[in-house]
Amino acid sequence: DNHVHITAQEYDECWQSELHAAADAGVTNVVAVAETCSDARKLLQYSRQYQKEWQSTSLRLHVCVGLHPWQAQHDELDDVMELLAAHRSAIVGVGEIGLDYMPKTLQFNAAETKKVQEYCFKTQLAFAHANNLPVNVHSSSAGHYALDMLAQCQVSEGVLHAFDGKTKYAEQAHHMGFKLSVPACVVRSPSLQKMVKRLPLDALLLETDSPALGPNKGELNHVANVLQSAETIAQLHGVSVQHVQAVTSATAACLWTPGECQGLG
């Protein structure tokens, strides 16, 4: 699962059991993302605790640290950048970062909101580029704008999570070297299904975005539901679920843990 919010309040009392249930379902790796500085500190704490207490489990927890565009503020960015620098060796990527141009996000002072989002995104992309780290990108209603900024900042490795842009921009992202992760809500999303069918299998990754974007609208999503993403991709591509798991796991491993390049899915 390439995009999980394991520090979400929905999991405060059960984050370990959530990961345990995913492991029981066959999930072997989870890439967890942060949205704020406090969120990132919590995630790093979870990671340390998980490594100490759960060494016998078959599931590995990987950490991305970043400032989500919903939380974009200069002071918060400064704190996140300090945390990124201090914990560079503990993270596999920078995220969740990006742009969000949905009307509800821009309803108050749209121009200033965009300006701050873009500054925060560029600053974090510069860190990713300087440290040779992939990015975990949010781009709601801002797909081609995010792609333009990624190109400007010379970042060419990462994942566009739950991409909601036009299929032609998804194809552009693939040609630029990015992967597109497919959430479990693909089971009920014709637009996502169209994108999945148009892209080659090696352009796709699996995700849940837990606790959001589950297979059933309005219900709490779970990491184990990443298997529903794999099943839907398999149906759309006319291949076995096992083949989808093997390809996406190998792709994800080369993105997040290039020194290992084993399965990660």
Side-chain angles (χ1 to χ4, degrees), residues 119-200:
Y119 176 80
C120 291
F121 191 26
K122 285 182 178 179
T123 301
Q124 292 175 99
L125 288 176
F127 181 90
H129 177 69
N131 287 274
N132 196 30
L133 284 168
V135 291
N136 210 317
V137 177
H138 175 110
S139 58
S140 293
S141 297
H144 71 284
Y145 298 104
L147 291 176
D148 288 347
M149 200 164 292
L150 287 162
Q152 291 170 19
C153 295
Q154 298 181 304
V155 174
S156 58
E157 285 195 322
V159 57
L160 301 182
H161 108 89
F163 190 74
D164 68 351
K166 295 179 179 179
T167 300
K168 68 176 182 179
Y169 293 125
E171 292 174 324
Q172 178 184 339
H174 167 54
H175 292 312
M176 290 171 63
F178 290 94
K179 309 305 177 186
L180 293 100
S181 55
V182 182
C185 65
V186 67
V187 303
R188 54 180 172 85
S189 171
S191 61
L192 273 176
Q193 291 173 17
K194 178 182 176 182
M195 182 193 78
V196 167
K197 282 195 268 190
R198 287 277 292 272
L199 292 172

Side-chain angles (χ1 to χ4, degrees), residues 56-116:
S56 61
T57 186
S58 59
L59 185 150
R60 295 174 62 191
L61 178 63
H62 309 267
V63 173
C64 289
V65 167
L67 180 63
H68 193 287
W70 290 352
Q71 315 296 337
Q73 297 178 31
H74 290 287
D75 290 346
E76 186 73 13
L77 176 65
D78 291 343
D79 292 341
V80 167
M81 298 309 297
E82 288 182 12
L83 203 63
L84 278 167
H87 295 277
R88 165 64 184 87
S89 62
I91 64 175
V92 297
V94 181
E96 176 176 1
I97 65 174
L99 303 173
D100 191 307
Y101 291 170
M102 293 182 68
K104 66 178 182 180
T105 308
L106 302 178
Q107 60 182 318
F108 303 111
N109 199 344
E112 180 62 21
T113 299
K114 284 185 176 182
K115 182 178 178 181
V116 174

Side-chain angles (χ1 to χ4, degrees), residues 16-51:
Q16 291 173 313
S17 60
E18 180 70 19
L19 294 178
H20 185 62
D24 287 346
V27 179
T28 55
N29 289 269
V30 166
V31 178
V33 296
E35 294 189 355
T36 65
C37 190
S38 61
D39 196 29
R41 290 194 182 99
K42 187 177 178 181
L43 180 54
L44 288 163
Q45 178 187 337
Y46 280 8
S47 178
R48 289 189 295 268
Q49 185 176 344
Y50 185 82
Q51 290 176 22

Side-chain angles (χ1 to χ4, degrees), residues 238-255:
V239 298
S240 69
V241 175
Q242 292 76 16
H243 182 64
V244 170
Q245 291 172 325
V247 173
T248 56
S249 292
T251 301
C254 291
L255 177 64

